[in-house]
Amino acid sequence: MLSLSAKNLMGKAYKQEYTYKHPWERVSSASWRKFADPENKRTLSHILEVDTLNHKLDPDSGKLYTTRAITIHAPGPWFIRKIVGQDICHCVESTVVDGQSRSMQLTTRNISLQKFIEVQEKIRYDPHPDNPDRWTICRQETSIQIKPLSALASMAEKVEQRCAEKFVQNSAKGREVMERICKYLEAESSGISL
Amino acid sequence: MGILRKDKKSADSSSTSSTSPCANLRTAYHNCFNRWYSEKFVKGQWDKEECVSEWRKYKACLSEHLEDKHLTRFLDAEESVDYSGISR
């Protein structure tokens, strides 16, 4: 259950929607484990490290704020590498979980290579309106923009396109991993060990 | 050749491995957090934060090894930064 739409404004913006047939509690738990599970390291091999930099719990409202650093290996074609000079990119992901209304929002953006490119990804997990206690809807929005005055500007269109393709590929891998962890958590909660 | 070059590259890039000395503390904290999140937080038991000592040890290690100055900024901030409302 995936829908994808793209529009070409300045840069590229992508929207995706996906339904997990698992309750929000399980899906949001899986989201935290997505990068950490050693078993998934192979599927998400572009993720090198994930560190939690900061977190805050508001015990009155049931809101949890977390900031994580995500180090990504993003090798482009040789001519890009030559200009950019590195193929490691640091991103900062900030997450707000509202335990009361059952929503999880993640915003990730790159903090290195900013003079060349800006990528922002927003993901939201909410209970699915058709089946709020058993299904979860995931909405994902990605925007990619080459900085107009950067050395990459002349090939912006091409680079953005390539970047966007990579994102779509990687989010498919991300969903695969999420589904796997959800299954695992489901088995765990019913007392079956895998 | 290709493999060798790749290995060298990742060894050269200090930012990749800068926090690896904290790997064990990181795993300990993340395991504790994940358990707390799925067993307590999502069930409405958010009155008390757990994993405090795991967090303290892990964070101390990060302060020592995190080299990227863009990242250390977030570590120094007392409160987590909420970007969800910011559009750039």
Side-chain angles (χ1 to χ4, degrees):
Chain A
M1 275 204 228
L2 172 71
S3 68
L4 178 73
S5 63
K7 54 183 177 212
N8 208 342
L9 309 157
M10 281 286 283
K12 287 252 182 296
Y14 274 87
K15 276 187 183 182
Q16 297 182 69
E17 242 180 61
Y18 186 76
T19 302
Y20 290 96
K21 295 194 168 171
H22 291 279
W24 176 83
E25 287 74 6
R26 188 179 299 147
V27 174
S28 63
S29 298
S31 169
W32 287 118
R33 295 168 196 235
K34 187 169 154 187
F35 301 135
D37 258 45
E39 221 182 293
N40 301 316
K41 283 259 163 82
R42 243 171 320 154
T43 319
L44 301 176
S45 57
H46 60 292
I47 307 289
L48 298 178
E49 299 216 60
V50 179
D51 274 300
T52 302
L53 299 179
N54 226 313
H55 69 126
K56 192 187 108 187
L57 172 70
D58 181 353
D60 298 322
S61 63
K63 282 188 180 166
L64 176 67
Y65 303 86
T66 308
T67 310
R68 300 199 299 183
I70 300 177
T71 307
I72 297 172
H73 182 230
W78 65 269
F79 58 93
I80 305 273
R81 250 177 301 173
K82 198 151 184 178
I83 296 168
V84 174
Q86 65 181 93
D87 52 11
I88 302 287
C89 181
H90 291 296
C91 295
V92 168
E93 170 207 78
S94 66
T95 305
V96 185
V97 185
D98 187 334
Q100 216 134 35
S101 68
R102 299 164 83 220
S103 78
M104 181 187 220
Q105 279 188 66
L106 304 98
T107 307
T108 311
R109 53 186 195 91
N110 62 307
I111 58 160
S112 51
L113 309 181
Q114 267 186 349
K115 60 178 174 171
F116 297 109
I117 190 168
E118 270 182 18
V119 178
Q120 182 173 272
E121 185 181 59
K122 288 187 176 196
I123 301 184
R124 269 193 76 116
Y125 295 103
D126 294 290
H128 197 290
D130 295 344
N131 201 344
D133 288 328
R134 302 175 98 176
W135 293 357
T136 304
I137 185 156
C138 169
R139 297 185 185 93
Q140 185 172 349
E141 251 183 82
T142 310
S143 67
I144 299 158
Q145 199 178 345
I146 299 291
K147 287 293 186 67
L149 295 175
S150 82
L152 294 180
S154 62
M155 38 187 156
E157 181 76 8
K158 214 171 169 183
V159 176
E160 282 162 353
Q161 183 59 38
R162 209 194 137 93
C163 234
E165 281 162 13
K166 203 80 200 166
F167 258 86
V168 172
Q169 273 172 27
N170 284 340
S171 51
K173 285 186 194 170
R175 278 190 296 276
E176 185 193 319
V177 166
M178 286 286 292
E179 288 283 8
R180 203 187 305 158
I181 303 174
C182 281
K183 261 198 198 118
Y184 169 82
L185 290 172
E186 183 178 28
E188 198 183 57
S189 70
S190 57
I192 309 160
S193 62
L194 286 176
Chain B
M1 175 63 190
I3 293 168
L4 273 175
R5 216 173 47 215
K6 202 173 176 184
D7 280 345
K8 189 170 177 295
K9 190 143 201 182
S10 54
D12 282 348
S13 163
S14 56
S15 50
T16 322
S17 54
S18 67
T19 61
S20 346
C22 311
N24 288 338
L25 294 172
R26 169 172 59 205
T27 307
Y29 169 68
H30 284 154
N31 284 345
C32 182
F33 172 86
N34 286 336
R35 206 175 318 121
W36 170 78
Y37 183 84
S38 35
E39 286 171 16
K40 302 218 167 137
F41 182 83
V42 294
K43 292 174 182 166
Q45 299 167 36
W46 50 65
D47 48 305
K48 197 170 124 276
E49 203 153 349
E50 291 184 11
C51 315
V52 177
S53 76
E54 284 88 350
W55 170 244
R56 211 174 288 146
K57 285 180 212 157
Y58 170 45
K59 191 172 176 175
C61 184
L62 280 182
S63 317
E64 199 181 324
H65 290 99
L66 201 63
E67 284 162 8
D68 189 291
K69 59 180 187 306
H70 298 297
L71 294 179
T72 43
R73 224 179 19 169
F74 293 96
L75 197 63
D76 294 338
E78 263 316 298
E79 289 182 2
S80 143
V81 189
D82 176 12
Y83 278 118
S84 54
I86 297 179
S87 59
R88 288 170 55 97

